Amino acid sequence: MGPRPNLLTRRAAGVASTTLALLLSTAAVGVVPAASAFSAAPGGACAEPADSHANARVKPGAGATHEPNELTAKQVRERDADLAAALRERANFRAGAGATTLATVTIPVVVHVIQRDSTRAGGNIPDSLITSQISVLNQAYAGGTGGAATAFAFRLDKINRVTNPSWYPIVDGSSAERSMKSSLRVGGKNTLNIYLGELSDDLLGWATFPQRKLSSMDGVVVLNESLPGGTATNYNQGDTGTHEIGHWLNLYHTFQGGCGGSGDGVSDTPAEASPAYECPTGRNTCSATGLDPITNFMDYTYDSCMYQFTPGQASRMLTAWNAYRAA
Ligand SMILES: [Zn+2]
């Protein structure tokens, strides 16, 4: 399927493919053996990964040096080992458990709207953008835009409006961010806390990967005007939220690791040498089979270009959910 030209088209296209996508996703989950995750673990490794880094999404030219989220190969190995160890720790985890929970995970969502003042420029976005964002998430994660269906649905539990100029804009990695999150974060490991605001360094958003021990930093930060109907040109259909929550559910970028190695740890996303921006149809940066996955939610393309997760990504997210976030 080519890049979606606009929101209407991708939604319409998604309707026809939803059933098939759900079936594909079921099959993919079924063939992910717990044993393979176990065998990937080095003996006795049970330390938290050294990296609890967030993972970001940036605009072109926003300063690649400021990608808070690019993982080194070592960090990927540590996270993979930690995932395997977390699965072992789960007394209730067994082979095949993933398949039985398909399409049954509803994630409670709390949205913190950080504002400098009561103006729109000061962060006061209307509730309607937030409810639209939840709809976009539910469509994307259900495969309703043309990709694989995942296990996940999202339920908006609360909108929490906070006026605090010292937290605005939200600065990645700052003490203000830590202070904001420790003050505001609610719920257990299964609760998705979304922080909306103007962001530092032209970032569209960033997220934390799942960890065994709940951190007060856990959650996703999203540019307020990237919500559907916002003012962030080319990035205002809500896919930054979709992308960041992908990280929160343990997905890496499709360009993780470049052309070599295990890449993003997902077999059905072709390798990609570097992030794709805008919508470079036909891009092919690695000699391995398959064009670059520029329409994948975990790349860096325009919202109008990205519309899908793969069955492998759906499976990886569900495995991580069972390991880290399930109650
Ligand atoms: Zn990212």
Side-chain angles (χ1 to χ4, degrees):
M1 182 178 297
R4 60 181 199 208
N6 58 51
L7 206 54
L8 194 60
T9 302
R10 71 164 166 156
R11 301 270 150 79
V15 172
S17 62
T18 298
T19 305
L20 178 60
L22 182 60
L23 290 171
L24 289 171
S25 181
T26 304
V29 168
V31 299
V32 171
S36 72
F38 294 166
S39 63
C46 61
E48 287 292 330
D51 173 70
S52 58
H53 241 153
N55 216 329
R57 183 179 181 210
V58 299
K59 301 172 194 169
T65 56
H66 224 285
E67 161 61 90
N69 234 355
E70 217 35 71
L71 297 178
T72 65
K74 178 167 179 286
Q75 288 167 333
V76 168
R77 283 195 300 274
E78 286 170 349
R79 286 208 52 81
D80 287 348
D82 187 73
L83 172 59
L87 288 170
R88 280 200 308 275
E89 277 182 7
R90 281 279 174 170
N92 63 352
F93 188 88
R94 62 190 188 283
T100 63
T101 55
L102 186 77
T104 61
V105 179
T106 297
I107 299 176
V109 181
V110 176
V111 176
H112 307 278
V113 183
I114 310 303
Q115 302 177 208
R116 181 178 59 213
D117 52 42
S118 62
T119 66
R120 175 74 178 250
N124 186 13
I125 57 163
D127 286 0
S128 59
L129 266 66
I130 295 166
T131 53
S132 292
Q133 177 69 67
I134 299 295
S135 297
V136 164
L137 294 176
N138 279 319
Q139 283 195 310
Y141 280 82
T145 55
T150 77
F152 303 101
F154 300 86
R155 182 191 69 227
L156 178 61
D157 279 3
K158 188 179 182 187
I159 298 175
N160 176 35
R161 291 184 177 275
V162 180
T163 301
N164 186 336
S166 67
W167 293 343
Y168 198 94
I170 305 172
V171 179
D172 172 53
S174 65
S175 57
E177 182 195 8
R178 278 191 292 282
S179 160
M180 173 191 79
K181 286 181 168 177
S182 19
S183 301
L184 301 182
R185 196 192 182 286
V186 295
K189 288 193 281 189
N190 68 326
T191 301
L192 173 60
N193 282 250
I194 300 177
Y195 303 86
L196 300 177
E198 179 64 41
L199 307 184
S200 59
D201 302 302
D202 274 338
L203 290 169
L204 290 162
W206 62 86
T208 54
F209 292 113
Q211 291 182 282
R212 274 182 277 173
K213 184 173 185 302
L214 179 61
S215 160
S216 62
M217 296 298 284
D218 184 76
V220 310
V221 178
V222 174
L223 174 66
N224 47 20
E225 295 292 356
S226 77
L227 269 52
T231 61
T233 306
N234 295 318
Y235 302 98
N236 59 356
Q237 294 182 27
D239 291 334
T240 294
T242 303
H243 174 108
E244 299 307 335
I245 293 165
H247 289 314
W248 188 77
L249 293 168
N250 210 37
L251 293 187
Y252 299 150
H253 293 132
T254 48
F255 48 86
Q256 175 66 44
C259 295
S262 59
D264 60 0
V266 175
S267 61
D268 57 5
T269 53
E272 185 177 35
S274 60
Y277 295 100
E278 302 179 359
C279 197
T281 303
R283 186 180 191 255
N284 191 9
T285 54
C286 296
S287 58
T289 306
L291 296 177
D292 292 1
I294 66 162
T295 61
N296 195 281
F297 287 125
M298 300 314 291
D299 207 337
Y300 273 1
T301 48
Y302 286 158
D303 282 12
S304 58
C305 188
M306 58 170 61
Y307 58 82
Q308 62 178 328
F309 290 118
T310 66
Q313 288 174 317
S315 173
R316 180 178 170 87
M317 287 190 276
L318 185 56
T319 298
W321 181 269
N322 285 328
Y324 290 110
R325 297 198 183 276

